[in-house]
Amino acid sequence: MTAGLGLTAVLVVVVAAILIGAFGLRLSRTTSDFYVASRTVSPLWNASAIGGEYLSAASFLGIAGLILAYGADMLWLPVGWTGGYLVLLVLVSAPLRRSGAYTLPDFAEARLESMAVRRTASVLVVLIGWLYLMPQFQSAGLVFREITGAPPWVGGLLVGVVVGVNVLSGGMRSITFVQAFQYWLKLTALALPVAFLLFAWHHDGRPAPHGEVPPYFTAPVTVAVGTDVTVRVQWPVTVTATGRVDGRPARGEPLTLSAGPHTIAHDTTIIFPAGAPVPHVESLPVLTDHEWALPLHGREHPVYATYSLILATFLGTMGLPHVLVRFYTNPDGRAARRTTLVVLTLLGAFYLLPALYGFLGRVYTPELLMTGRTDAVVLTLPGRLVGGTAGDLLSALVTAGAFAAFLSTSSGLAVSVAGVIGQDILRGGVPSFRAATIMAISVPLVLAAVARSLAVADVVGLAFAVAASSFCPLLVLGIWWRRLTTTGAMAGLLVGGGLAGGAGFAVIVGGPAGGWAGALLAQPAAWTVPIAFLVMIVVSLLTPGRVPRGIARTMVRLHTPETLDVNRGDWRPRST
């Protein structure tokens, strides 16, 4: 794909987002418009918008890359991210809508009647939002660099500016229209190219990974290394290198890489002969095709890692602030449930596609295992399998879908984080919301530029773990257990959120570690979620006098359908 075609695709998505957002601007006038679109969004529009913001860079690029690198184990990611909505449907969606809150801290305040719990929830919302936003900006930078060769921070800044313009101008009502459009664009951008890719794969004799051998180059391949990497070579191989290898300059002459680790500097080009095993970057496992195709082979301690991943994705969905804030835009609890059912259908259709890209990437783009840029497999395959003008056009379509993913998810996160900052730190109202939007975007934008780059789906997985370990216990116990006390809720939020957040911080700063310590830190949900529930329950039982005085009225409001004529009270957030 040429740089001009790629830039055109990005510009089309950006201009479409701004124009559709401007349409929403005409309808946004009140605080309610900015925070919850005045609670008038229909289930189909809302479900499309939820699908648009939920399908982030991790869904569009990350899952395929992780399946390419780790194999069948990673199929649990789309299963969990979809199944999480089933848990949300059964336990949370309707009562949450009936709570009358604008944000998740509003719900904490309404249920626990405590400003201290509200402020703790606000800090966690901002933490989760920034943890989720950072990889969106990093991925945008990597894709923009792939297209133009520009420094990675340029793509992140471009997405940040467009998101800022849309959110500042029209708030929730504006981005609802933008995100609904972006869901259907993302679905098309993956579905149409995969039809051509499968046709080319069938025409090529339907090659597939098989046997007890690691991936190898089936033809001479030129690999361009964009960043410094350390790779492991399994068997000695003679290559042609231009750049720096093991600290020594290489000027295009034949070079023999012995078995073992080798450092390759950025902007180095290496030509491998046909039949050479693919060197793997140090952080990725070397799997035979047989191991890759079977579950529980891709990582250390695979049984623990798999169950912890399932727990984080199933329970973390209900604690994601940009997901929950969408349910406040439904007219009533019944509409919230209908919205969740439509979301399940839309997500199920989308998540069938990344697995196909991961499978084809294992066959046709194994060199990504050497550079560590497995997230680029979705962008690389159309040019590799189809080629020519058709391949360029399909690559441009996929690029447009990727930028739609960055924009839609970032917009939803920016609204939810800005809503919390605007209400709980600033004075509330539209001016505070706009000032908070700048804070919500600028901090993760800076973090994306200075923090180490990890696989996008791994970082998003950590955000899910923090959400599952903090807001999941608060929502489940807060809605269904009237004996939850203010002290118990506070203790559970601090312990669960603190443990999962600390594990995520250690992984981002220190990088992936090995052994049991590495597995426990990279996938903390299996131990942090039970601890959070246990602490919340035990502390509540020890402090029965801290049950909120208005718990009976609150439970009526949460669980009684809107069609029944009962006294629900007139609760409003004290922060406003």
Side-chain angles (χ1 to χ4, degrees), residues 214-221 223 233-239 257 270-280 366-367 370:
Y216 59 91
F217 297 112
T218 56
V221 171
V223 180
V233 174
Q234 295 167 277
W235 293 286
V237 58
T238 299
V239 300
L257 299 176
I270 300 180
I271 302 174
F272 286 88
V278 179
H280 284 46
E367 75 277 7
M370 175 182 167

Side-chain angles (χ1 to χ4, degrees), residues 276-459:
V278 179
H280 284 46
V281 70
E282 274 200 323
S283 59
L284 297 180
V286 180
L287 301 173
T288 66
D289 288 341
H290 181 71
E291 292 169 336
W292 177 84
L294 291 178
L296 305 180
H297 280 86
R299 296 169 292 173
E300 285 186 296
H301 310 294
V303 174
Y304 166 81
T306 298
Y307 279 97
S308 191
L309 175 69
I310 293 171
L311 200 62
T313 52
F314 267 70
L315 300 184
T317 301
M318 75 170 67
L320 293 179
H322 67 301
V323 169
L324 291 181
V325 77
R326 278 244 153 254
F327 284 92
Y328 305 127
T329 65
N330 286 286
D332 51 39
R334 188 179 178 190
R337 282 206 172 102
R338 287 207 305 269
T339 296
T340 312
L341 280 173
V342 180
V343 169
L344 275 167
T345 305
L346 297 181
L347 294 184
F350 180 90
Y351 279 132
L352 292 173
L353 302 171
L356 293 173
Y357 281 89
F359 164 77
L360 293 173
R362 177 80 178 185
V363 177
Y364 290 102
T365 60
E367 75 277 7
L368 297 178
L369 298 168
M370 175 182 167
T371 61
R373 293 174 48 256
T374 54
D375 288 342
V377 62
V378 172
L379 302 169
T380 307
L381 277 171
R384 185 67 56 84
L385 261 76
V386 181
T389 303
D392 288 345
L393 291 173
L394 292 175
S395 295
L397 180 60
V398 173
T399 302
F403 258 80
F406 307 143
L407 291 173
S408 58
T409 301
S410 301
S411 298
L413 288 164
V415 165
S416 58
V417 173
V420 169
I421 295 176
Q423 276 192 283
D424 293 351
I425 298 178
L426 306 178
R427 292 178 297 178
V430 174
S432 294
F433 180 85
R434 286 175 168 158
T437 300
I438 296 173
M439 295 172 61
I441 294 172
S442 56
V443 172
L445 198 55
V446 172
L447 289 175
V450 300
R452 60 184 295 123
S453 180
L454 298 173
V456 58
D458 285 345
V459 182

Side-chain angles (χ1 to χ4, degrees), residues 77-130:
L77 275 170
V79 172
W81 287 345
T82 307
Y85 273 91
L86 192 58
V87 183
L88 196 66
L89 169 69
V90 173
L91 296 178
V92 173
S93 60
L96 188 67
R97 169 60 189 89
R98 295 186 190 116
S99 70
Y102 279 136
T103 64
L104 219 157
D106 279 354
F107 171 80
E109 180 192 335
R111 171 61 180 85
L112 279 309
E113 300 176 13
S114 165
M115 290 302 292
V117 176
R118 178 193 177 92
R119 294 189 185 100
T120 305
S122 299
V123 171
L124 286 168
V125 165
V126 174
L127 172 66
I128 293 168
W130 283 349

Side-chain angles (χ1 to χ4, degrees), residues 537-548:
I537 292 171
V538 170
V539 175
S540 293
L541 293 176
L542 293 176
T543 56
R546 299 301 304 276
V547 173

Side-chain angles (χ1 to χ4, degrees), residues 231-252:
V231 301
R232 279 172 286 115
V233 174
Q234 295 167 277
W235 293 286
V237 58
T238 299
V239 300
T240 303
T242 303
R244 293 187 71 83
V245 178
D246 293 329
R248 294 188 294 272
R251 301 181 177 82

